[in-house]
Each structure stands twice: as C-alpha cells, then as structure tokens.
Amino acid sequence: MIYETKNRIINNNYSDRLLELVRANGLSDDRIIGVGTAVRGILNADGRGVTDSFGALAEKGYALCDRIEGRTGYAAVLENNVRALFAAQQFFDRESADGPQFFLRCEYGIGAAMTVEGNMLRGATRQCAEIGHIPIIRRGGRLCSCGKTGCLETIASPAAITEAAMRELSETGMPILWQTYQKTPERQLTVEDVLSAAAGGDAGAGKIVDEAVIALAGALRGVVYLLDPSKIVLYGRMFDHPYFLSRLRGELQEGMDDSHAVTMEKSRYNRTLDRSAAALLAVADYYNNGGI
C-alpha cells in the first residue's frame, strides 16, 4: 500500500503523483494489483466517477477511474470515503460484521454508511445513508457544503460546533472556553476545546453541545426506527471525548421503546482506518474478480 500523507486536491496530477510514489517505494508493476481511491461526495451510477465531491476534486463529473487507468495502466476502484472506512472497519472486525449495521462518521462533517449481512447499501443514486444532509432547520438555517441550508451537518458536526463557539465566544457567555482561547489566541478553537469546556460546566459551550447532541440523537432515532440496525458504530474525533459520547448515548434513549434497543459503540479502530481504507478497496476488488 502507498499512502499519500499530504492533503491534496485530486486533479489531473493525481496519477502522476501516484507514479512518483510507486517509483519512490521501489515497486514493480507485477506487485501492484490496483489502485483504490476513496473520496467524499456522490459517485455516478457505475461507481467509477464522481458526480459531485463538494470541492474535493477540481471539477464535477470527474471520471476518476478512467483517468487513473489511462495514465497509470493500473486497474482502479473508487468508493465514497465513508463507505470505504466502513468497509475497512468490517474487514478488520469480521467476527462481528453480521447483521444490519449503521456506521456514523463525524470528523469535519457528518457521513454515514449502512450494511446488511456485510453487504454495503448504496441506494438508487448511490446516496444511501446521507444522514448529514437531512434537513433539521426548515427555514433560515446555515448554508451547508451540499448547497442546501439547515442540514444536520450545519448543527452537529465538529466544524459546526467549533464555528458556533467562535461566533458566540465571550468572557461572560463562555468563561471557561474564553480562558482556553486566551491562552493560545494564535490558533483556532477545536471541538475538543468546546467539549472540554462544556464538561467543565461552561453553560454557553454546553448549550452549543446540547443542540448538537439533540439534533444528532434525533436523526439516529429515525435511523433506528426506520432501518432497525443491530449496531451503530461511531467513528470520529468527537467520540473520543467521554462527555460527548455519554451525552449522545443518554439522548438517544429518550423516547425509545424497549423493543428498539440498539447497541451503539465507538469503533475499536477509531481514527486509524484512513491509511488503509482505500487500499483495501483495491484488495477486495482484486479478490472479488478472481485474483489469487
């Protein structure tokens, strides 16, 4: 596996960079089974191109697999980044991959994926489980990266929480978070800063976190009643914080009946799958097509 450590916008130079990495790692063509790529956004009908990556790619309607194959000669496979992470989770956690499972990722934004008996659900337009873009605020909500307003992601994502805290930050309204910010004013606040302030009794920070928790738990209750998963797997930086995880678990149970009890747990591989997910797509594709 070759992993590019720098953040880059994928464009026509992506394949050239891939070939540079192949040469730098001394790999011969007979050792390369294919190229796996995971990217955010909506894939096209055949899963080989990206209809809209919401800014990750240099253009819309990008035929990514065709371009990689044309420039490198390697077979290419493509998947949405959250589904790729969930596929990696299930690869490493094969003993507990049975049953319907819902995978929720909160890192910058909010994404999700769903499997039934290990099979990934994609939907008619490859937008299955787009929980982050469920409209939560009917009118007057904030603009989302998808172009709509009032999406769950604009309230409950790590970015939304930190942005709300920065908008409302004051010495009187958020005294604990204010002190944190004053100690290192040269950097932006992080979601961990906001969660720690809320856990420490900062009422202003707590209000922002509560709004996020209530919105996210409400969306997850809809998932439970509609799809009846046996497990919800949580992946992302917020779930490393005991305060947020405890609040989310408690809020999820509000209004739930006993017949819809669901296990919700943080991934045992939390925040470690990004380096392997894309490569595992290529491995799975190789073996699914008869490779030995």
Side-chain angles (χ1 to χ4, degrees):
M1 179 188 71
I2 299 173
Y3 178 78
E4 173 59 56
T5 56
K6 295 180 180 178
N7 294 322
R8 292 175 178 268
I9 293 178
I10 300 173
N11 52 31
N12 287 330
N13 295 324
Y14 174 71
S15 298
D16 295 337
R17 177 57 182 160
L18 176 63
L19 292 173
E20 289 175 11
L21 291 169
V22 169
R23 290 191 292 268
N25 285 271
L27 298 177
S28 58
D29 285 349
D30 61 357
R31 296 184 61 195
I32 299 175
I33 61 174
V35 178
T37 303
V39 65
R40 75 185 186 204
I42 304 167
L43 306 190
N44 61 13
D46 64 7
R48 289 179 51 81
V50 185
T51 300
D52 191 347
S53 66
F54 307 120
L57 302 181
E59 61 191 67
K60 292 185 178 182
Y62 199 93
L64 188 55
C65 286
D66 288 346
R67 297 196 186 187
I68 291 174
E69 290 173 348
R71 293 172 72 91
T72 67
Y74 307 136
V77 60
L78 173 66
E79 184 55 278
N80 168 269
N81 63 329
V82 179
R83 286 197 288 268
L85 287 169
F86 193 19
Q89 160 86 25
Q90 296 218 311
F91 177 85
F92 290 118
D93 206 14
R94 291 183 291 277
E95 70 278 5
S96 60
D98 293 338
Q101 297 188 18
F102 190 82
F103 181 83
L104 178 72
R105 178 184 186 252
C106 294
E107 198 56 45
Y108 177 83
I110 297 176
M114 178 85 185
T115 59
V116 176
E117 302 302 334
N119 297 311
M120 194 74 66
L121 302 184
R122 292 180 173 81
T125 60
R126 290 183 174 264
Q127 298 183 76
C128 180
E130 285 282 0
I131 190 174
H133 301 293
I134 293 175
I136 299 298
I137 299 177
R138 186 176 179 184
R139 295 186 179 89
R142 291 192 170 273
L143 182 66
C144 182
S145 61
C146 72
K148 303 196 305 294
T149 57
C151 294
L152 176 65
E153 190 170 290
T154 67
I155 302 170
S157 68
I161 292 171
T162 53
E163 287 166 7
M166 285 300 297
R167 286 195 305 270
E168 300 177 27
L169 184 62
S170 70
E171 186 173 6
T172 56
M174 297 184 192
I176 296 176
L177 192 60
W178 176 266
Q179 288 298 320
T180 299
Y181 181 67
Q182 291 304 306
K183 290 175 183 177
T184 53
E186 69 280 358
R187 71 167 175 84
Q188 290 289 311
L189 289 173
T190 67
V191 71
E192 291 85 359
D193 293 332
V194 183
L195 296 177
S196 294
D202 191 312
K207 181 176 181 292
I208 291 171
V209 174
D210 282 349
E211 289 175 351
V213 166
I214 290 168
L216 185 56
L220 287 174
R221 277 196 296 273
V223 168
V224 171
Y225 277 92
L226 182 64
L227 301 175
D228 195 25
S230 60
K231 182 188 296 184
I232 296 174
V233 180
L234 305 174
Y235 188 95
R237 59 196 300 186
M238 292 198 299
F239 306 123
D240 279 334
H241 202 289
Y243 176 79
F244 187 85
L245 189 56
S246 175
R247 289 284 294 111
L248 182 63
R249 282 186 170 135
E251 187 64 32
L252 181 63
Q253 297 307 313
E254 290 291 326
M256 293 272 287
D257 59 69
D258 292 340
S259 66
H260 283 87
V262 61
T263 299
M264 184 168 69
E265 62 184 36
K266 184 178 73 172
S267 168
R268 70 176 70 180
Y269 310 104
N270 194 37
R271 303 183 70 191
T272 67
L273 298 174
D274 301 79
R275 286 177 174 267
S276 58
L280 287 173
L281 294 174
V283 172
D285 185 69
Y286 175 75
Y287 285 111
N288 289 340
N289 286 287
I292 57 174

